[in-house]
Every structure is written in structure tokens, then in C-alpha cells.
Amino acid sequence: MGLFSKIADRIFGRKDAPAPTSKPAAPANPAAVIFTGSENDPKVSPPSHNPAPATPAPAQPAEPVDVEAVLTALAAEKGGASDWRRSIVDLLKLLDLDSNLEARKELAAELDVNAGAHGSAEQNLALHKAVMRKLAENGGKVPDDLKD
């Protein structure tokens, strides 16, 4: 999993919707059922006697995740001292991801960012903008001033 995937997971996974509840796992070997009912019982009658229930309508596409709101809320939870709007290092730290030079080199390669020398202010700014653009491409709602 690349660094951008981790960034997206941390942001998109924090959506305010409740987490889906998991269904209990089916037993590996279901217990045998002894049936004493009639042939019209849906448990034993052929499928042609029991029409399938109507299939539900396809789910609507998910609402775009408001990246700015998620990151602002996360910064507030952590004390609000982050400059995530301009700094790739602060953004990575806010998301509890490694922000060292090697991590940023990996991110630059992953997002094909070739601005300035590794670790330079020019590259860090370009990385931040590239991350925001990529979040927008992947379903995030990102203000224009964070992408340009």
C-alpha cells in the first residue's frame, strides 16, 4: 500500500457516517436440520414455488468526503496547531503518518512530482498540491485553493 493510499484511507475512513456493522460469520459446518413440515414449506419446496424476493434498488453513489472538514476536525481534536493547509509534513503528521524525507520521496515518486530537490520547499508545496488534487480525483471535496 502506497503512502497516498494511507492518506486517503485516513481521510475517507473518518467520514462522519457510522461504521458499518459486520454480519456474524456463518458457521463452518451448519447443523443438520430435521424437517417435519409439508412440501409447501419454503424451506423444502423447489425455488419455482418460492419466487425470489425483489432485489433492492442499486445504492446511490456515496457523498463526496469533505476533506477540509475532516482535516479541520482532526486538527481541532489534536489541539489545532497544525498547518496542514500548506505543509505536507504537517498534513502527514496530522494523519499520524511518517513525514520524514524518505516518506516524502516515496510520495513524490508515487504521485510523479518532480518539482525541486527532495525535501525542498518547492517539492513540499508541489507534493501538498498533488495530494489534494489526487484526493479530489478519488472522491474528496477539496477547495480549489488547496489544489492550485
Side-chain angles (χ1 to χ4, degrees):
M1 174 185 284
L3 186 53
F4 177 77
S5 296
K6 292 176 185 176
I7 293 168
D9 287 348
R10 299 277 168 98
I11 293 172
F12 297 151
R14 291 188 53 88
K15 194 171 180 182
D16 294 335
T21 56
S22 60
K23 296 180 183 178
N29 295 320
V33 176
I34 300 173
F35 180 74
T36 58
S38 75
E39 65 183 29
N40 293 325
D41 189 303
K43 294 178 186 168
V44 294
S45 63
S48 61
H49 290 157
N50 299 308
T55 56
Q60 294 296 323
E63 292 282 324
V65 174
D66 188 338
V67 173
E68 181 179 31
V70 169
L71 293 173
T72 300
L74 185 57
E77 286 175 23
K78 293 186 173 191
S82 175
D83 188 21
W84 66 264
R85 292 174 176 276
R86 294 183 294 210
S87 169
I88 189 66
V89 172
D90 282 1
L91 176 64
L92 293 170
K93 285 180 180 180
L94 181 63
L95 297 171
D96 296 323
L97 295 170
D98 194 357
S99 62
N100 68 24
L101 181 57
E102 286 305 311
R104 288 179 280 136
K105 282 181 181 180
E106 174 191 331
L107 185 59
E110 185 178 346
L111 299 179
D112 197 29
V113 173
N114 298 307
H118 288 300
S120 68
E122 183 181 3
Q123 185 188 49
N124 288 341
L125 289 170
L127 270 175
H128 188 276
K129 303 262 185 221
V131 165
M132 292 299 165
R133 280 191 301 272
K134 189 85 168 170
L135 287 169
E137 291 170 9
N138 285 280
K141 180 180 161 198
V142 179
D144 288 339
D145 65 321
L146 294 178
K147 296 183 287 187
D148 300 325

